[in-house]
Amino acid sequence: MLLTQCIAITTLLSALLLTSGQALTDVTYDYAIVGGGTAGLALATRLSEDPSLSIIVLEAGGNPNITDLRLSQNNLGSSVDWQFVTVPQVDAGGRTQDQAQGKVLGGGSAINAGMYTRQALDTTFNPTFHGFSGPIAISTQALNISRFFPQIVVPTLRSLGFNLNFDSNGGNHKGPSWNYLTTFPDTSTRSYAVSGYYRPIANRSNLRVLTESQVSRIIWSVKKTDTGLLNATSVEYLALDSSDGSLKKMLLNASNVILSAGALNTPKLLELSGLGDADILGRVGIDVKIDLPGVGAKPMQSQVLRRLRN
């Protein structure tokens, strides 16, 4: 499935406010992580285990309380969703498709339905597949929460030759089964990257997380290395200037920049920073740093199917 190039390049960055409202040019961090989603917060947690390193995370979204998993459908198409949409798809009868991606601290783990599924291995149940000490809590959802499943779904699947599967994460996905959810046991409270990774270590002095801080591009070194590569020296982001209340471009210096902004925003940021197809970048007035035609081409993002219609 091809996504429109405007997702990667021509869509303007929406103006967001920086919580602290100040530039950070007087500090050089060891690591700047762009995107406070599942991977970004996990990286920040691991890197900040070394007290000699300074780490900062910049997240475009905020940190609202959306932890009731029963309301997860409300997240799609809302302010905590980037609300990307494809161009009309030929193989889908000209229809467009939503591309859900979390615009919030925790990323996709903060807005998804909490379904936890491991890769099928076509093996029998193995207790060693399940851990009990990881940062993300997993609990089960019984089939009897709705009569639709035990009275209609399960009998239908059994009539097709599928037996009840007592553990869909035991190596075999086939058959009706209990759902594994990323929730705390006996509650409907979401267990996700914020609660599992960031919150327990939020008081580390060498870690800083800025919400509502949207990175617009990477700033590169003036000269390329001897091997023709570029060194990232800082990131540009949009922030509210606390002195006069105006929206301004701010800079943040870092020795290392990690892009962890999702399947769509990561290539978008690379292209906005001059890395991509030179023909496309040139048409929208972006200074080409390295001609890399593969950047922004044929990105892949998990699909969300909300309902089936005839």
Side-chain angles (χ1 to χ4, degrees):
M1 180 185 300
L2 295 176
L3 295 176
T4 177
Q5 288 288 349
C6 71
I7 287 179
I9 298 180
T10 59
T11 301
L12 295 177
L13 293 171
S14 59
L16 291 179
L17 307 183
L18 177 65
T19 303
S20 63
Q22 61 183 13
L24 300 173
T25 53
D26 57 337
V27 177
T28 298
Y29 288 87
D30 291 306
Y31 289 92
I33 301 175
V34 180
T38 305
L41 291 182
L43 278 169
T45 299
R46 296 291 184 254
L47 288 171
S48 61
E49 290 175 354
D50 185 345
S52 68
L53 298 176
S54 57
I55 295 92
I56 189 167
V57 178
L58 296 101
E59 166 57 40
N63 186 24
N65 182 7
I66 51 174
T67 57
D68 189 337
L69 200 60
R70 296 169 297 182
L71 304 177
S72 61
Q73 280 294 319
N74 296 340
N75 297 327
L76 303 182
S78 72
S79 62
V80 295
D81 179 3
W82 282 93
Q83 303 181 45
F84 291 130
V85 180
T86 69
V87 295
Q89 301 297 298
V90 175
D91 295 333
R95 289 172 294 182
T96 61
Q97 295 185 0
D98 296 339
Q99 300 287 301
Q101 187 170 343
K103 188 180 182 181
V104 62
L105 193 65
S109 73
I111 71 169
N112 62 25
M115 298 293 294
Y116 180 82
T117 306
R118 287 183 171 182
Q119 179 182 358
L121 299 175
D122 291 327
T123 62
T124 58
F125 172 74
N126 186 340
T128 62
F129 288 174
H130 300 274
F132 299 92
S133 60
I136 303 300
I138 306 296
S139 60
T140 58
Q141 181 184 53
L143 284 172
N144 61 4
I145 61 169
S146 169
R147 290 180 295 175
F148 174 75
F149 287 94
Q151 294 182 6
I152 298 177
V153 175
V154 173
T156 299
L157 290 175
R158 279 179 169 169
S159 69
L160 296 174
F162 295 104
N163 294 321
L164 186 66
N165 185 349
F166 288 98
D167 185 8
S168 60
N169 285 309
N172 182 7
H173 289 170
K174 297 177 181 178
S177 176
W178 284 264
N179 291 330
Y180 284 80
L181 299 175
T182 53
T183 59
F184 293 100
D186 303 319
T187 74
S188 298
T189 303
R190 181 188 299 273
S191 176
Y192 66 124
V194 174
S195 61
Y197 285 96
Y198 172 61
R199 195 170 294 150
I201 53 89
N203 62 347
R204 287 180 180 171
S205 60
N206 63 334
L207 173 62
R208 185 173 185 181
V209 174
L210 296 181
T211 57
E212 299 181 335
S213 303
Q214 188 166 355
V215 174
S216 51
R217 66 186 176 116
I218 304 167
I219 307 300
W220 309 101
S221 56
V222 177
K223 295 183 178 180
K224 294 182 179 180
T225 64
D226 294 337
T227 57
L229 300 178
L230 291 172
N231 285 327
T233 59
S234 57
V235 295
E236 177 189 270
Y237 63 99
L238 300 175
L240 186 67
D241 191 326
S242 58
S243 62
D244 59 11
S246 62
L247 190 68
K248 294 183 178 180
K249 293 179 180 179
M250 302 292 188
L251 291 179
L252 184 149
N253 299 323
S255 300
N256 301 277
V257 177
I258 299 175
L259 285 185
S260 182
L264 302 181
N265 276 324
T266 293
K268 170 185 172 181
L269 281 171
L270 288 174
E271 291 183 304
L272 289 172
S273 306
L275 274 64
D277 189 316
D279 292 336
I280 296 175
L281 299 184
R283 289 201 298 266
V284 293
I286 295 177
D287 183 26
V288 179
K289 301 297 183 181
I290 298 180
D291 182 13
L292 292 174
V295 176
K298 300 182 180 180
M300 298 182 67
Q301 168 77 352
S302 300
Q303 302 300 306
V304 175
L305 183 61
R306 298 191 187 183
R307 59 183 64 87
L308 293 173
R309 292 180 179 176
N310 293 329

